[in-house]
Amino acid sequence: MPNPYSLTPLVPHELGRLFVLAFPDEGTAFTLRDTLLKWEEDSIIDVGDMVVVTRDRQGRVRLHQSLPLTAVGSALGSLGGMVFGMMLLNPLFGSIAGAAVGAAAGAMQDIGISDEFMRELGETLTLGTSALFVTVRSSKPQPLLERLQAFAGTCRILQCDMPAENEVLLRRVLEGEALQTSSGGAKS
């Protein structure tokens, strides 16, 4: 019987399938990322990591993490430092020191998709474009495909870790036109 007080998950962490989608502008990748987050709340998809990579008109590549590691590290460090500071009767100093250490640790940590890999691929993007890197742990395929129709023809799939027949269907939706309904019209 598993220990109910254990802080470790019962199921080992699953990396998920990696998808890399390229967009002809800098904004659509952010729109899809925000939409996927909403769909995650609706239990349509379970996302592990999402990062938007942009290459601006000057050629600078930026990674826009969905989880701000510096802020998270700072908050956790501040909380831990305050607790430690309470033991030393100086919670303010402990909180400040913990926030600084936590922010530094968060800035140096690379969780999820490799930053180096994303930067290298970002260097190959055309100026003024973007890419969305997503790891998907699980999804409900039919509702997901129906909802992805709103993004039909807006992107190109650069990388996709899934069976060939599923990849063809996803490419038809995202790179082509909206799927046809049984009545022959485009589904909206």
Side-chain angles (χ1 to χ4, degrees):
M1 178 172 170
N3 180 355
Y5 302 106
S6 174
L7 296 177
T8 59
L10 298 176
V11 179
H13 177 66
E14 182 182 343
L15 294 177
R17 298 179 184 272
L18 176 65
F19 296 87
V20 181
L21 310 172
F23 296 88
D25 58 30
E26 293 185 39
T28 309
F30 289 103
T31 303
L32 182 54
R33 181 184 73 177
D34 295 343
T35 303
L36 288 173
L37 287 172
K38 290 176 188 167
W39 294 347
E40 189 170 33
E41 292 173 5
D42 296 340
S43 300
I44 300 296
I45 190 168
D46 181 17
V47 176
D49 191 15
M50 280 193 293
V51 180
V52 173
V53 176
T54 57
R55 185 164 189 216
D56 64 18
R57 300 266 179 222
Q58 291 74 37
R60 288 186 303 258
V61 174
R62 293 194 55 213
L63 305 182
H64 306 272
Q65 304 279 351
S66 60
L67 179 63
L69 297 177
T70 303
V72 170
S74 178
L76 290 175
S78 178
L79 179 65
M82 185 168 51
V83 170
F84 184 70
M86 289 167 115
M87 291 188 302
L88 298 175
L89 300 176
N90 194 349
L92 181 61
F93 173 74
S95 180
I96 293 170
V101 170
M108 292 180 183
Q109 197 166 15
D110 185 13
I111 296 175
I113 306 166
S114 166
D115 287 356
E116 181 181 341
F117 168 68
M118 291 186 289
R119 284 190 197 285
E120 286 176 9
L121 199 142
E123 291 293 334
T124 68
L125 294 174
T126 306
L127 299 180
T129 63
S130 62
L132 176 62
F133 291 73
V134 183
T135 55
V136 177
R137 292 187 192 121
S138 65
S139 68
K140 295 178 181 172
Q142 196 56 41
L144 182 61
L145 283 174
E146 289 171 5
R147 291 180 181 207
L148 281 173
Q149 301 229 15
F151 293 91
T154 62
C155 65
R156 214 169 19 104
I157 298 175
L158 300 180
Q159 182 168 340
C160 178
D161 295 337
M162 60 190 314
E165 62 275 3
N166 294 347
E167 182 177 343
V168 168
L169 184 60
L170 185 63
R171 282 186 187 279
R172 271 195 2 219
V173 170
L174 291 177
E175 294 179 353
E177 299 296 321
L179 294 177
Q180 300 296 312
T181 62
S182 58
S183 63
K187 189 172 186 175
S188 44

